[in-house]
Amino acid sequence: MMAGSIVAVGMAVFWSGILIGIIYCMRKKNLFVKSFGIGSIVGLYLFCLLRMFLPFNFAFTQGIELEGLFSDIFRILCLNKYWIGNYDVTIFDGLILLWIVVALFLFGKFLYEYRKTCRVLQEAGEEEPQSMEVMRKVYELKGKRREVVVLRSKEVNMPMGMGIWKRRIVLPKQEYKDEELYYILLHEYTHFINGDLLIKFMVQAFCCIFWWNPILYLLRKDLDQSLEIKCDVCVTKNFSAKETADYLQTIVATLKAAGKRKRKAGFNGTVALGKGKKNELLERFEY
């Protein structure tokens, strides 16, 4: 039974990793993204995560006995027992214990930093009439009203959204034109409507659980970019050419302003209008 569980976990992680690698390579192809749709690609990434987390065996699968190197490794890790204290343990038992301890530590650290940052931003932030007035226009455009508190804080260097239940959009303390503020709030509110913060939270949790799997960090990085592209597409779907140009100009202006400030808050939710390297920004502009 234990052998079957080990193999199931190993196969789920292995094949999910292979599929993530294929999706990552294909996602870099413009034709593939435009044909398949960025939303479908995000869905495939999430399917890979779910498959990794639920390493069940399908009824039609049949195990194959392997001899030689694989059987020797399995025997050393899982069958050879060592007397420690009052217990007979295997190397595999020790690896599982290490996995659990590190995963709990990383997940606890993630939750602590998240809650601490939410508290700091809530206490240091303050609401402003201009932001709430522009936010009402965003509600009208989207036709969906999910209450969001807009704050200004010196603790952030660029606009960001946080909170799954208590939603906040936190802006740096600077002057914004109404048009700039409108595009920033519209972008971040679209993240809330699409459930992107919940997805990012879930991916971060998976990275804490499967901390030893490097493919997950590749997925997290590319999924962030995919969610930004998806959000951009949703925001500009019914925009005129001028509105789209103004939206893109706001992205550039926001990033330039952020580069001049030092960020104090230690955790990002969804960063409004995104961030990243020049090639990632150009990729978003192309779509």
Side-chain angles (χ1 to χ4, degrees):
M1 186 69 175
M2 184 185 73
S5 300
I6 295 171
V7 172
V9 172
M11 287 293 96
V13 171
F14 176 77
W15 288 113
S16 294
I18 293 294
L19 184 55
I20 288 170
I22 293 174
I23 297 171
Y24 177 81
C25 293
M26 297 302 294
R27 220 276 298 154
K28 300 299 180 180
K29 308 294 183 181
N30 287 359
L31 181 60
F32 176 78
V33 176
K34 291 177 180 177
S35 301
F36 200 63
I38 191 67
S40 299
I41 293 174
V42 171
L44 279 175
Y45 273 140
L46 296 180
F47 169 78
C48 293
L49 286 177
L50 183 63
R51 180 68 181 96
M52 191 179 298
F53 193 67
L54 299 175
F56 52 83
N57 285 318
F58 293 102
F60 57 81
T61 58
Q62 184 175 355
I64 300 176
E65 293 187 6
L66 296 175
E67 298 181 357
L69 179 62
F70 290 104
S71 59
D72 291 339
I73 293 174
F74 181 82
R75 184 179 64 256
I76 293 171
L77 292 178
C78 304
L79 300 182
N80 293 348
K81 294 187 177 182
Y82 304 88
W83 185 259
I84 299 179
N86 297 322
Y87 301 96
D88 285 331
V89 297
T90 64
I91 294 176
F92 182 75
D93 294 331
L95 293 176
I96 290 296
L97 179 61
L98 176 64
W99 179 3
I100 294 173
V101 169
V102 176
L104 289 175
F105 171 77
L106 292 176
F107 191 68
K109 181 173 179 287
F110 162 66
L111 289 179
Y112 171 77
E113 290 180 351
Y114 179 80
R115 290 176 62 86
K116 178 182 176 182
T117 304
C118 284
R119 185 172 62 253
V120 168
L121 294 180
Q122 182 68 41
E123 293 174 354
E126 55 186 37
E127 297 184 56
E128 292 186 358
Q130 181 198 16
S131 300
M132 298 312 297
E133 181 63 31
V134 174
M135 197 66 217
R136 277 192 284 272
K137 296 179 181 179
V138 174
Y139 289 145
E140 292 175 4
L141 177 68
K142 283 297 187 179
K144 298 179 180 179
R145 189 176 180 90
R146 298 184 182 180
E147 288 299 328
V148 175
V149 176
V150 183
L151 304 173
R152 301 279 182 111
S153 173
K154 61 181 180 180
E155 299 293 330
V156 297
N157 69 337
M158 69 184 306
M160 61 182 293
M162 296 192 70
I164 297 174
W165 293 281
K166 295 182 179 180
R167 305 174 187 88
R168 308 173 190 85
I169 297 175
V170 187
L171 308 173
K173 284 197 172 182
Q174 73 171 70
E175 295 296 324
Y176 290 101
K177 298 178 182 178
D178 284 351
E179 184 182 61
E180 291 177 330
L181 191 56
Y182 173 74
Y183 288 130
I184 291 171
L185 296 181
L186 177 59
H187 177 99
E188 200 58 34
Y189 188 68
T190 301
H191 273 307
F192 285 121
I193 294 295
N194 291 343
D196 292 342
L197 273 84
L198 182 60
I199 292 174
K200 288 193 172 190
F201 197 98
M202 182 181 70
V203 171
Q204 183 62 43
F206 271 86
C207 286
C208 293
I209 295 171
F210 294 97
W211 53 267
W212 44 266
N213 188 353
I215 198 71
L216 277 181
Y217 299 95
L218 176 67
L219 179 146
R220 181 176 63 182
K221 180 176 181 292
D222 196 58
L223 187 61
D224 283 348
Q225 176 72 349
S226 298
L227 290 175
E228 290 302 331
I229 294 173
K230 180 170 174 281
C231 186
D232 290 335
V233 171
C234 290
V235 169
T236 61
K237 183 178 180 180
N238 297 315
F239 275 10
S240 65
K242 182 182 182 307
E243 288 173 323
T244 302
D246 291 340
Y247 173 76
L248 298 180
Q249 187 175 357
T250 301
I251 293 178
V252 175
T254 301
L255 292 175
K256 284 184 177 180
K260 299 177 182 179
R261 288 188 293 265
K262 183 178 179 181
R263 180 172 63 89
K264 296 181 181 179
F267 179 88
N268 283 335
T270 60
V271 178
L273 303 180
K275 62 177 182 176
K277 299 178 181 178
K278 182 178 179 180
N279 61 330
E280 294 175 346
L281 188 61
L282 289 174
E283 183 182 37
R284 291 175 59 191
F285 274 44
E286 288 177 2
Y287 289 112

